[in-house]
Amino acid sequence: MKSVLAVLLLFFLQLLSAQEEVYANGIFGFEENKTQKIFTNWTRIRLEPDVNAEILDSLPTNQQITVLKKEDKVLQLGERASHWYKISYQKGDRASEGYVWGGNLCVGYRNKNGYDFLFGLTKTENRKDKQNGENFRQNIASIKVLEGNALVDEVFFDTGSGESLSYATFNIESNHQLKGVELTLKAMVSGEACGIASYDQYVLFKNKKLVALPQLMNVGDADVYYHSENFVFPNDKGGIFNAFIWKMEEMEKDENDKEKIKRASTTYLWNGDYFRQK
């Protein structure tokens, strides 16, 4: 009887340990021997890959570093989970090494017309759902624009939960023929499995200001259900001068395997400085 209890206890402890294991979000998977940039201003560089290790240095936003090695250890802060990385960097005439938590690095970065555009996750906020009153945790992302080392502007927006942080892209697009817009930034995060939503965030850049457009969400489950959102810009087929159109299409199959499709659209007018719903 004692041996049976001992086996059950061991199984329970193993199960508990497995439940407590933390897995890193895929968007914080950085390649070794590749350059990367600091996203969180004055990110702490530590002697060991541990939040309690000695602080060796702190680096500003947009500091370029080189990823030397991904450590096995994962740290979760809020809804963000990442490996620690051993890095090297140049500060003045001095080359240094240390360890940084991957959640403080850029998810993506681009350079255009003398500006550096950075995309990353900033924090997790506690929210309450207005409909059911339940609490939930919301990841907050941001896009920063810098000129040299000076922060020009920053815009914040909600982004996916842990399951939607497997993959990310960050690209520069044209001005889509919107008045006064220099370029458009598009940040995307996505999950890898069916039924996990992806989120697209468009941000306009004009006169050193960032303007975030309404966020787009797309999700699908094989051929049973999908929800799709996109923008139609002036340079797209069906586009309108100095406006963008939000379009949604949703399909769900009923018990008879018959498709039920729902569509909706909203037009936003752009005056060169801000947008408003028509």
Side-chain angles (χ1 to χ4, degrees):
M1 183 65 178
K2 290 183 178 180
S3 61
V4 173
L5 290 175
V7 170
L8 289 174
L9 178 60
L10 179 61
F11 174 77
F12 175 76
L13 291 175
Q14 289 176 337
L15 180 64
L16 185 63
S17 175
Q19 290 176 338
E20 292 177 348
E21 188 172 0
V22 177
Y23 295 95
N25 303 131
I27 63 170
F28 300 124
F30 305 111
E31 293 185 49
E32 296 178 356
N33 301 312
K34 296 285 188 179
T35 57
Q36 185 50 251
K37 286 195 172 186
I38 298 292
F39 185 75
T40 304
N41 201 24
W42 303 118
T43 288
R44 293 172 176 174
I45 308 302
R46 297 185 181 272
L47 179 63
E48 300 291 340
D50 190 280
V51 72
N52 295 313
E54 179 186 346
I55 299 172
L56 300 176
D57 204 349
S58 59
L59 299 179
T61 296
N62 210 28
Q63 167 79 48
Q64 183 170 293
I65 57 102
T66 299
V67 175
L68 300 178
K69 181 184 178 184
K70 180 174 73 174
E71 299 296 321
D72 292 333
K73 190 170 185 180
V74 175
L75 171 67
Q76 180 168 354
L77 296 178
E79 287 293 296
R80 299 171 296 158
S82 172
H83 289 274
W84 286 84
Y85 291 89
K86 185 176 183 180
I87 65 166
S88 65
Y89 59 95
Q90 193 77 21
K91 205 170 183 181
D93 297 328
R94 179 170 56 93
S96 301
E97 293 184 359
Y99 292 88
V100 66
W101 180 58
N104 287 328
L105 302 180
C106 290
V107 174
Y109 60 92
R110 293 287 185 268
N111 178 274
K112 184 80 171 179
N113 300 338
Y115 295 101
D116 288 312
F117 300 94
L118 314 180
F119 167 47
L121 271 66
T122 61
K123 59 182 177 180
T124 303
E125 288 185 351
N126 293 319
R127 301 268 185 90
K128 179 172 285 190
D129 191 297
K130 294 180 180 179
Q131 292 184 339
N132 56 33
E134 293 183 358
N135 295 322
F136 67 97
R137 307 179 86 183
Q138 176 65 59
N139 281 322
I140 309 298
S142 80
I143 291 175
K144 303 178 182 182
V145 55
L146 292 97
E147 192 170 16
N149 294 322
L151 180 65
V152 175
D153 198 16
E154 181 173 12
V155 64
F156 297 88
F157 49 90
D158 294 350
T159 193
S161 59
E163 60 186 3
S164 292
L165 300 180
S166 298
Y167 176 72
T169 59
F170 184 51
N171 296 305
I172 294 178
E173 298 184 355
S174 72
N175 65 358
H176 292 292
Q177 296 180 5
L178 290 167
K179 178 183 176 182
V181 174
E182 186 174 337
L183 54 86
T184 305
L185 303 160
K186 182 184 179 183
M188 184 277 290
V189 297
S190 176
E192 292 181 328
C194 289
I196 304 300
S198 65
Y199 298 91
D200 295 337
Q201 182 64 57
Y202 284 88
V203 175
L204 308 179
F205 179 60
K206 59 165 299 292
N207 297 333
K208 297 188 176 184
K209 294 292 182 183
L210 296 170
V211 180
L213 303 188
Q215 193 171 71
L216 304 176
M217 187 271 284
N218 293 275
V219 64
D221 188 2
D223 62 346
V224 177
Y225 169 83
Y226 70 78
H227 175 98
S228 174
E229 299 178 5
N230 70 286
F231 287 134
V232 177
F233 290 106
N235 61 328
D236 295 324
K237 184 179 179 180
I240 301 174
F241 177 72
N242 272 337
F244 57 94
I245 306 167
W246 171 84
K247 288 197 170 185
M248 183 277 292
E249 181 173 291
E250 193 170 84
M251 185 281 291
E252 185 174 8
K253 289 186 177 180
D254 61 19
E255 62 275 7
N256 298 317
D257 206 32
K258 183 178 180 180
E259 292 185 358
K260 292 185 176 180
I261 297 178
K262 180 170 62 175
R263 296 182 177 91
S265 66
T266 301
T267 299
Y268 294 90
L269 304 178
W270 172 255
N271 70 356
D273 291 309
Y274 59 88
F275 63 89
R276 64 177 178 84
Q277 189 172 329
K278 183 177 180 180

